[in-house]
Amino acid sequence: MKTAITEMFGIEHPIIQGGMHFVGFAELASAVSNAGGLGIITGLTQKTPELLAREIARCHDMTDKPFGVNLTFLPALKAPPYPEYIAAIVEGGVKIVETAGRSPEQYMPALKAAAIKVIHKCTSVRHSLKAERIGCDAVSVDGFECGGHPGEDDVPNFILLPRAGDELKIPFVASGGMADARSLVAALALGAAGMNMGTRFIATKEAPVHDRVKLAIVAASELDTRLIMRALRNTERVLNNPGVERIVQIERAKGAALTFADIQEQVAGVYPRIMLEGDVDAGAFSCGMVAGLINDIPTVAELIDRIMADAERLIRDRLMGLLENAAAPAAKVA
């Protein structure tokens, strides 16, 4: 399948693995790239630029296909040394960067000087247009269904993707609610040039997270996520668990007076305990509503091959079949 995204990034299939904290290590990124998609290393999971350089080198040892690095620009009292992370990316020969969080505008000159393609994750049309204006090559349009941070507009992808298609000149991929061939074909029909999957890729054999995390996602339905930190205007969709229930109780009790300090214990620094040690009840971790569509833990190659084969059948048999049936002349009555 050839789209603007496969052409831009030099990949076989229009499927991207989004950056995910304590998930986007070289093992998963290389598996996605080897299967024909675009794997992504999560930059800030690596605590220093030197560690990121080492992770990039590990990924090069595992694949000769294109892969990218995610850089999330977060509000912080002490910002990470982003120029040094970018230097590690450049020196590592990575030519694709997925940016997220705040606008990457101040870092675009350094990225473009290194001929790096930038795809920025956006939760609204206005932010997507800003990404286009500052020189991003593509956008990952993130609907309200997504795991992680869906923004504050609450617009689902059946509206957001066509709106992005109406406004954008650069290509975009659909993110949030993407799990299978139906997701891909629908995204293409709504104007996207591919799809970005996060939660679906956690539930794969190569994802370097504890099996209890994968099993929790498989067991979850579309009703098992919660939105937290709405009062802080830093909304996050997470998988419900006892830690998240404690957050929800605190938020209800505090109301508009909520501060981050009130929920810090259940939010900050829990990812290693959850993802690596399997303490899935420790606190909040990102998960999309798409968990309701995830029923197995395949290899990455099995997942991507299945998506592409099923997508071709959907297009050729179901969709083309609808047109052929409509065009068939009615039988004559004797």
Side-chain angles (χ1 to χ4, degrees):
M1 187 181 288
K2 185 181 290 188
T3 75
I5 287 294
T6 62
E7 296 292 283
M8 178 178 292
F9 295 140
I11 56 179
E12 184 179 357
H13 306 307
I15 298 174
I16 298 174
Q17 166 245 318
M20 293 173 284
H21 201 35
F22 278 89
V23 179
F25 293 99
E27 289 83 357
L28 181 58
S30 63
V32 174
S33 291
N34 283 332
L38 180 66
I40 301 283
I41 292 171
T42 308
L44 295 187
T45 295
Q46 305 300 321
K47 294 186 182 299
T48 68
E50 292 76 20
L51 288 173
L52 176 59
R54 192 180 305 171
E55 195 70 8
I56 289 170
R58 283 208 317 128
C59 201
H60 279 302
D61 287 341
M62 296 177 185
T63 185
D64 58 1
K65 303 287 182 65
F67 65 89
V69 172
N70 166 280
L71 271 184
T72 298
F73 299 105
L74 298 168
L77 294 175
K78 185 181 179 183
Y82 287 115
E84 295 175 33
Y85 277 97
I86 291 170
I89 291 167
V90 173
E91 291 163 14
V94 174
K95 291 298 182 183
I96 302 162
V97 166
E98 177 194 60
T99 55
R102 290 187 167 182
S103 171
E105 185 169 8
Q106 73 181 97
Y107 303 104
M108 289 297 291
L111 293 167
K112 302 316 289 185
I116 287 173
K117 299 288 187 185
V118 178
I119 178 168
H120 186 55
K121 186 167 284 189
C122 300
T123 60
S124 69
V125 174
R126 64 185 182 281
H127 293 150
S128 300
L129 289 169
K130 173 70 180 295
E132 182 177 76
R133 283 197 300 273
I134 66 175
C136 292
D137 300 278
V139 173
S140 182
V141 177
D142 221 8
F144 184 55
E145 308 93 325
C146 72
H149 298 280
E152 308 303 322
D153 293 346
D154 300 0
V155 181
N157 265 330
F158 246 71
I159 306 301
L160 190 57
L161 295 175
R163 284 287 299 117
D166 288 342
E167 301 282 349
L168 289 171
K169 297 181 177 65
I170 58 175
F172 63 96
V173 298
S175 184
M178 303 292 119
D180 54 28
R182 296 169 297 182
S183 311
L184 177 58
V185 173
L188 295 172
L190 293 171
M195 69 177 180
N196 176 301
M197 297 195 302
T199 304
R200 172 68 269 198
F201 275 125
I202 299 177
T204 58
K205 286 188 165 57
E206 292 91 341
V209 304
H210 201 283
D211 282 348
R212 281 198 287 269
V213 176
K214 301 178 187 183
L215 292 171
I217 291 171
V218 170
S221 80
E222 67 276 14
L223 304 177
D224 290 326
T225 67
R226 295 290 182 273
L227 295 172
I228 61 171
M229 298 191 288
R230 301 230 82 177
L232 302 176
R233 293 193 63 77
N234 188 31
T235 301
E236 183 177 7
R237 186 180 298 281
V238 298
L239 188 65
N240 196 31
N241 61 41
V244 170
E245 291 289 356
R246 288 193 292 274
I247 294 171
V248 172
Q249 289 169 7
I250 293 168
E251 290 183 336
R252 285 173 180 159
K254 293 284 184 177
L258 180 75
T259 68
F260 182 74
D262 296 321
I263 57 172
Q264 185 169 355
E265 184 180 341
Q266 286 81 30
V267 175
V270 298
Y271 266 77
R273 285 171 57 195
I274 295 168
M275 295 298 178
L276 304 182
E277 299 171 25
D279 186 359
V280 293
D281 294 337
F285 67 98
S286 296
C287 178
M289 297 174 78
V290 75
L293 300 177
I294 298 172
N295 303 306
D296 61 355
I297 305 172
T299 68
V300 166
E302 287 168 348
L303 175 62
I304 290 180
D305 287 349
R306 182 170 74 198
I307 288 171
M308 296 312 300
D310 289 350
E312 183 169 346
R313 277 193 291 273
L314 265 176
I315 294 167
R316 290 188 188 279
D317 297 343
R318 176 169 169 72
L319 300 184
M320 291 300 294
L322 293 174
L323 292 178
E324 288 164 5
N325 290 337
K332 291 182 179 179
V333 178

